Amino acid sequence: MPGRDSKRARRVRMLLDTHVSLPLFTLLLLAAIWAGTFHAVKNERLAARAMAAESAHELIETYEAQVARSLTGIEQTLKVLKYAVEQKGALGALPELGVHGLLPSGLVFVVSIVDAQGNTVASNPRKTPISVAGQSYFEFHRSERNTTTFVAQTMRDKANQEFHVHFTRRLEDAHGNFAGIVIVEVDPAYFTSAYERARQGDRGMIGLVGPDGVVRSMRIGDKVSWGQPVDQRLLAGGGEPQISPWDGVSRYTAMRPLRGYNLSVFAGLDEEEEMAAFRKQRDDHYREAALASGLLLIVAAMGWVWSWQGAKTRRRIRRAQETYAAASEANMDAFFVLRAIRDREGAIVDFKFSNVNPRGQQLTGRSKQQLMSQTFCNWLPAARHNGIFDRLASITNEGGVYQEEAQNLMPQFQAEWLAWQVVGVEGGVVAIVRDISERMRNEARIVHMAHHDSLTGLPNRSLIADRLQQAVLDAERTGQSVLVAFIDLDSFKLVNDTMGHNAGDELLKVVAGRMVDCVRRNDTVGRFGGDEFVLVLPHVDDNASALLPLLDKILAAVVEPIMLEGQKMQVSCSIGVSLYPRDGRDADTLMMHADMAMYRAKESGKNNCQFYTHEMNICLEEKMTLTDGLRKALAGQQLRLAYQPKVDLATGRIFGVEALLRWQHPERGAISPDQFIPLAEECGMILPIGEWVLREACRQARAWQDAGLEPISISVNVSPRQFDDSRLVRRVADALHESGLAPEWLELEVTESMVMRDVAQSVAKMRELEAMGIALSIDDFGTGYSSLAALKSFPISRLKIDKSFVRDLASSEDDQAIARAIISLSHQLHMRVIAEGVETEQQRRFLQQNGCDEVQGYLYGKPVPPQEIASQLTQAIMLE
């Protein structure tokens, strides 16, 4: 029994020994890691599949709603067509709907009316009349007395070579007999335009299928197809991916019947794309498990080795010594092991180097032998005076740790900044010294970047504010003045637009350097943002005449030519100046007033300097008052339209008028358009005001027609903000519809510079307006920067010669040459030309002799109220 117990105890001790139990414990941890990984992967796979199926159902719900809205619009169009045919007849229905703007866009939909014999009698857009008597949809309506919409398969015919989906309804005469059908043809891609690649991937699927199991439209990625027979049970999905027979791709699918229509929508998400995130996450789990297993095995192996060697004390001590030596030799920090030297009373009088690592030798420029051959204070005499020796002695006696980072002032250390860590050990200290010069330089660089502009190196907005605040505080204490100058470059945008942003950046750097060269060392030149700079000049004279030479020097320096990419460029600047304490006693007020003065410099012709005056605030208040009044003018019915006649030069007949906006302020009286229209543009009121002008002009033109007067065209100016508005075409259509004015009696005038900002977008918008039957003209022609290539692409019917070229026609040969050129160019481009601002008989005679078609100006009539235009038109009729 005693022998058996001792053997059992030995076995227990062996199992408890680290080098035996550690491998067993490691195996258990490995099993737990991989079991947990496989379990997590399994759960995530199930969750990913469920999420993919749920995404397919969410997709089909969204797609169902989109298609239902589209089908509702088509159904409504068919009902309107049927009603129009029954009311106006087959030939009168489409024109009637066109007048009221009820026909759908001919770019997407083709509308047709077919009689009882199957012949196409009307269509929009107009197409070749054909017989559809043999088509399935025609036979269905002829044989079935059914008023529901029939959706045919995707097909094409002789009249329309493009494939379309045909939506049809039965027409009946007054006795309920078959009288033909109405058709709406839709491009099959119309029903799959809601495809979102970001959501459905490259191989997602949406589509529309009929009750016969034939696809009307289907989109997979960028490809649209139709006509495939499909198994609708396969499309229904059921939560599991199904392989699509047409391309062999496994997808999560879903299908929904469309309520009220004999159609179904279906959608699918590619299983591979939907599960891609899961596969990546699964691979990450496996990778992490493998890494954890590897680390565990490494740690376990190290522990096993250490435990195996734990029994050998000498070897362990030797290994520890070797490990310490290796760590010390390879460490990037300098290690100095110092032993205390004491006098007879036990006081520390110096330290002796007992060990130094290679980094310490590199930092001091001395070898280990050189350092160990002398005492610490002999090598570093300054230590007795700067407190280092006292700290070393204190830590040796009392223990603890001392840390410090400071700039190095001792030439014995070859570093700019040092981090000290001193640790007390038995009989001395260990000093760990690190060179942190690079880190401190990086931190200083980061601080500099936070307060300076990255392009020019000048102080940025934050540092400008700090320095201005400090300058104000100093000036308040010393009783001196501070100058703040706000500088904005003139025409800088032109450099960016013509030569690119790299050239613009180079220009900013050159200009910044020139400004710095113009001021004193203690002055601040900062970049406020974009092409705006700020000067802060402390300790200056508050006399403006004494400051002008410096400001003129800056103006002259900026305007000097600059070579950019081999091309000579020249910009100027506008400067606004405010002074402390005359123009403000805090930094924000000084900056605001300098900004106001800069804008006054811009308004004064640019390339000049303006000092802030109290009147600028008054002008700003006046501007704010007018802006506030303008917001109330529209609701308060203070706006009016005056109409100026436009006359045909050949016949002398009034063929149209231009609508001109007027503001009758209840307190200030008539306010000039040159004063309030720019304000409306700036504050955003131009959109509602412009829409009111458009509606009022259309209403007045229709009112003249309803009064029995001969129809004349009415011109309405379109502002830049109106033209950029994406809803401009819709607003014009609404104004025509509400007023009942035919589109051919409306002309929109756009400026030359407005349409040249984005030629492609301008042409597209103008084409839409032209398709509605609206005339377009270019106002103020010759004052912008249009090219002939762009001009010929515009759907323009008329060019208007700006009044600046008409004013001196009688005496200026240059203006005469320009007028002739514009007239000739207009006729070559098959456009009519009209001159505005005609006030004298000499001007009229010149324009008539040189072929100008039309004129407008005080010679023929000032802008007048609408009733006077009616009187003029009535008199013209009586004279005829």
Side-chain angles (χ1 to χ4, degrees):
M1 290 295 292
R4 186 179 301 174
D5 291 341
S6 60
K7 187 180 292 184
R8 185 182 297 111
R10 284 196 302 272
R11 290 176 180 173
V12 172
R13 283 196 301 270
M14 184 181 68
L15 290 174
L16 293 175
D17 200 350
T18 305
H19 68 273
V20 175
S21 61
L22 183 60
L24 297 176
F25 183 70
T26 302
L27 290 175
L28 289 175
L29 287 179
L30 286 173
I33 289 172
W34 284 101
T37 300
F38 289 136
H39 181 71
V41 168
K42 178 181 178 182
N43 290 340
E44 289 175 0
R45 181 185 292 108
L46 294 175
R49 288 180 174 177
M51 184 176 295
E54 181 64 22
S55 297
H57 283 287
E58 291 177 357
L59 174 60
I60 195 64
E61 290 177 359
T62 303
Y63 183 51
E64 176 192 12
Q66 294 170 345
V67 173
R69 284 195 298 270
S70 299
L71 291 176
T72 299
I74 294 171
E75 180 78 5
Q76 186 64 32
T77 299
L78 287 169
K79 290 180 180 179
V80 170
L81 279 172
K82 178 179 179 181
Y83 177 80
V85 171
E86 292 172 354
Q87 295 296 316
K88 298 294 183 177
L91 296 178
L94 295 185
E96 178 68 12
L97 295 178
V99 168
H100 293 286
L102 297 177
L103 282 176
S105 172
L107 298 176
V108 181
F109 301 92
V110 178
V111 177
S112 303
I113 300 174
V114 177
D115 63 17
Q117 286 72 42
N119 297 317
T120 304
V121 296
S123 62
N124 181 60
R126 189 180 302 278
K127 63 178 184 176
T128 305
I130 63 170
S131 174
V132 298
Q135 298 293 350
S136 59
Y137 53 83
F138 182 84
E139 294 300 327
F140 170 82
H141 289 300
R142 182 160 62 180
S143 60
E144 297 288 335
R145 190 166 183 175
N146 193 323
T147 60
T148 60
T149 298
F150 180 83
V151 185
Q153 294 185 11
T154 305
M155 63 180 68
R156 60 182 176 184
D157 50 39
K158 293 181 180 179
N160 192 345
Q161 293 300 310
E162 299 293 332
F163 279 89
H164 281 73
V165 182
H166 290 64
F167 294 80
T168 60
R169 285 185 76 91
R170 174 187 174 101
L171 292 174
E172 293 178 350
D173 58 18
H175 304 290
N177 298 319
F178 177 69
I181 61 173
V182 289
I183 305 173
V184 174
E185 299 174 42
V186 186
D187 188 335
Y190 175 75
F191 297 101
T192 59
S193 59
Y195 191 99
E196 298 179 14
R197 185 180 294 275
R199 181 180 179 186
Q200 296 166 237
D202 294 325
R203 290 180 296 191
M205 173 182 70
I206 58 175
L208 189 67
V209 63
D212 52 3
V214 177
V215 172
R216 298 314 193 250
S217 177
M218 177 170 65
R219 176 169 175 176
I220 299 176
D222 292 330
K223 182 179 179 183
V224 179
S225 60
W226 51 82
Q228 302 94 327
V230 296
D231 185 354
Q232 299 192 34
R233 293 175 299 176
L234 178 68
L235 292 176
E240 292 297 324
Q242 304 292 333
I243 296 177
S244 303
W246 46 84
D247 58 4
V249 175
S250 179
R251 294 184 175 89
Y252 289 91
T253 60
M255 187 177 72
R256 288 280 182 87
L258 289 168
R259 187 175 303 170
Y261 303 97
N262 201 9
L263 295 168
S264 298
V265 291
F266 60 90
L269 297 172
D270 180 21
E271 180 189 16
E272 183 177 346
E273 291 179 343
E274 290 300 303
M275 298 296 287
F278 156 73
R279 293 190 182 97
K280 182 180 182 302
Q281 195 170 12
R282 177 197 63 190
D283 293 341
D284 290 341
H285 285 325
Y286 288 157
R287 194 178 298 110
E288 291 168 1
L291 180 61
S293 300
L295 290 174
L296 179 61
L297 290 174
I298 292 172
V299 172
M302 293 174 62
W304 185 85
V305 171
W306 290 339
S307 67
W308 178 260
Q309 294 177 348
K312 301 178 181 180
T313 305
R314 294 179 186 175
R315 190 173 179 180
R316 182 183 63 197
I317 295 173
R318 186 166 57 252
R319 180 178 294 276
Q321 292 173 342
E322 292 173 355
T323 301
Y324 168 77
S328 174
E329 294 294 317
N331 203 291
M332 294 303 296
D333 294 337
F335 284 79
F336 300 92
V337 181
L338 304 175
R339 299 297 176 187
I341 301 175
R342 299 178 183 269
D343 58 11
R344 294 181 179 179
E345 286 76 22
I348 298 175
V349 295
D350 207 340
F351 287 90
K352 181 75 175 177
F353 289 97
S354 65
N355 202 355
V356 180
N357 70 345
R359 180 58 180 157
Q361 299 173 50
Q362 182 182 357
L363 188 63
T364 60
R366 299 290 185 93
S367 66
K368 183 177 181 179
Q369 291 73 22
Q370 288 176 320
L371 290 172
M372 295 179 67
S373 65
Q374 57 186 318
T375 64
F376 179 75
C377 290
N378 286 338
W379 170 71
L380 193 65
R384 292 192 183 274
H385 310 292
N386 59 18
I388 292 179
F389 173 78
D390 294 336
R391 294 193 194 97
L392 295 179
S394 174
I395 292 173
T396 301
N397 292 327
E398 301 175 6
V401 178
Y402 172 78
Q403 299 184 60
E404 180 187 26
E405 292 182 356
Q407 190 171 8
N408 176 39
L409 301 177
M410 297 173 288
Q412 289 84 352
F413 289 100
Q414 299 176 4
E416 184 180 352
W417 287 82
L418 292 175
W420 289 78
Q421 184 178 29
V422 182
V423 182
V425 296
E426 185 178 356
V429 294
V430 175
I432 304 170
V433 183
R434 176 179 299 177
D435 181 1
I436 59 170
S437 303
E438 183 65 25
R439 193 195 83 193
M440 298 301 289
R441 283 192 290 269
N442 288 337
E443 290 178 357
R445 188 160 48 248
I446 291 172
V447 172
H448 182 273
M449 290 172 62
H451 293 88
H452 290 78
D453 175 51
S454 60
L455 177 64
T456 62
L458 297 178
N460 61 13
R461 184 178 300 196
S462 173
L463 187 54
I464 291 170
D466 289 343
R467 291 191 178 178
L468 177 56
Q469 183 66 31
Q470 187 60 46
V472 169
L473 293 175
D474 291 344
E476 184 179 6
R477 184 172 58 255
T478 60
Q480 294 180 313
S481 296
V482 178
L483 178 144
V484 179
F486 210 103
I487 304 175
D488 185 88
L489 300 185
D490 303 324
S491 305
F492 176 72
K493 185 177 184 298
L494 181 61
V495 176
N496 267 344
D497 293 343
T498 56
M499 303 188 65
H501 289 281
N502 290 336
D505 291 345
E506 182 62 27
L507 184 144
L508 289 174
K509 290 191 284 188
V510 172
V511 169
R514 291 178 179 178
M515 291 183 187
V516 171
D517 293 339
C518 292
V519 300
R520 304 166 298 182
R521 292 178 59 87
N522 64 329
D523 296 334
T524 296
V525 180
R527 186 184 178 198
F528 198 71
D531 60 344
E532 297 176 331
F533 297 85
V534 171
L535 301 184
V536 179
L537 278 64
H539 314 303
V540 297
D541 194 332
D542 61 357
N543 185 0
S545 59
L547 298 171
L548 282 176
L550 170 63
L551 300 172
D552 289 340
K553 182 180 179 182
I554 294 174
L555 288 170
V558 172
V559 83
E560 288 181 8
I562 301 172
M563 293 300 296
L564 297 175
E565 300 179 358
Q567 183 175 348
K568 184 179 291 186
M569 296 295 295
Q570 191 173 22
V571 296
S572 59
C573 66
S574 300
I575 304 178
V577 179
S578 64
L579 290 169
Y580 170 89
R582 187 189 71 185
D583 301 326
R585 307 192 70 87
D586 61 84
D588 291 340
T589 303
L590 291 170
M591 287 289 289
M592 179 178 68
H593 288 169
D595 193 23
M596 287 184 190
M598 185 273 292
Y599 277 105
R600 174 60 60 87
K602 289 277 189 185
E603 295 170 357
S604 302
K606 303 179 181 179
N607 193 28
N608 70 95
C609 175
Q610 294 288 329
F611 282 78
Y612 170 78
T613 62
H614 180 66
E615 288 74 16
M616 293 180 185
N617 251 340
I618 297 175
C619 290
L620 180 61
E621 292 172 1
E622 172 72 11
K623 184 177 178 181
M624 293 176 64
T625 301
L626 280 180
T627 302
D628 184 60
L630 190 59
R631 298 183 189 279
K632 302 173 182 177
L634 186 58
Q637 299 182 351
Q638 300 171 19
L639 300 180
R640 302 285 188 274
L641 287 185
Y643 301 91
Q644 186 173 34
K646 299 198 291 186
V647 177
D648 189 306
L649 261 180
T651 64
R653 172 178 161 272
I654 297 176
F655 69 90
V657 294
E658 180 180 2
L660 299 171
L661 184 62
R662 297 292 183 261
W663 180 12
Q664 187 67 29
H665 195 281
E667 298 172 359
R668 300 169 179 259
I671 297 178
S672 169
D674 293 337
Q675 188 176 3
F676 73 83
I677 288 181
L679 279 180
E681 284 276 0
E682 184 178 335
C683 71
M685 280 296 295
I686 196 66
L687 285 179
I689 291 176
E691 184 174 3
W692 176 84
V693 170
L694 181 63
R695 293 176 183 269
E696 177 62 18
C698 291
R699 185 202 64 76
Q700 183 59 61
R702 180 63 185 183
W704 285 329
Q705 294 179 15
D706 292 341
L709 299 175
E710 182 181 354
I712 59 172
S713 68
I714 187 160
S715 300
V716 177
N717 290 285
V718 177
S719 73
R721 282 204 179 185
Q722 279 182 281
F723 192 77
D724 292 338
D725 185 10
S726 60
R727 295 172 293 176
L728 172 64
V729 177
R730 182 71 263 168
R731 295 181 193 275
V732 173
D734 290 344
L736 291 172
H737 177 71
E738 290 178 8
S739 64
L741 182 67
E744 60 265 25
W745 301 114
L746 176 62
E747 180 182 67
L748 298 181
E749 295 188 6
V750 295
T751 63
E752 186 179 4
S753 57
M754 181 195 310
V755 296
M756 288 305 300
R757 290 182 298 183
D758 188 338
V759 174
Q761 183 178 355
S762 297
V763 169
K765 188 170 293 186
M766 293 166 79
R767 292 287 182 198
E768 287 189 70
L769 294 167
E770 182 191 35
M772 295 169 58
I774 297 169
L776 296 164
S777 67
I778 291 186
D779 192 12
D780 301 338
F781 184 74
T783 61
Y785 301 94
S786 62
S787 66
L788 294 179
L791 184 61
K792 70 180 183 180
S793 66
F794 293 144
I796 296 296
S797 60
R798 182 177 282 106
L799 290 183
K800 178 178 280 190
I801 303 176
D802 186 66
K803 58 186 176 183
S804 62
F805 301 126
V806 176
R807 183 183 304 113
D808 298 323
L809 274 181
S811 58
S812 172
E813 294 183 359
D814 291 339
D815 288 345
Q816 291 174 2
I818 292 173
R820 290 193 192 99
I822 294 175
I823 294 170
S824 176
L825 173 64
S826 301
H827 291 164
Q828 291 293 326
L829 294 176
H830 306 291
M831 301 179 189
R832 294 184 67 81
V833 60
I834 181 171
E836 65 176 345
V838 178
E839 299 180 355
T840 66
E841 182 64 27
Q842 293 90 338
Q843 295 168 350
R844 183 203 65 77
R845 188 180 307 111
F846 175 86
L847 292 169
Q848 188 172 33
Q849 290 172 352
N850 286 276
C852 183
D853 302 302
E854 301 155 0
V855 290
Q856 173 185 352
Y858 279 19
L859 182 62
Y860 294 93
K862 299 179 180 181
V864 294
Q867 55 269 24
E868 293 192 29
I869 294 293
S871 299
Q872 294 179 26
L873 294 176
T874 302
Q875 291 175 6
I877 293 173
M878 293 175 63
L879 290 174
E880 292 178 359

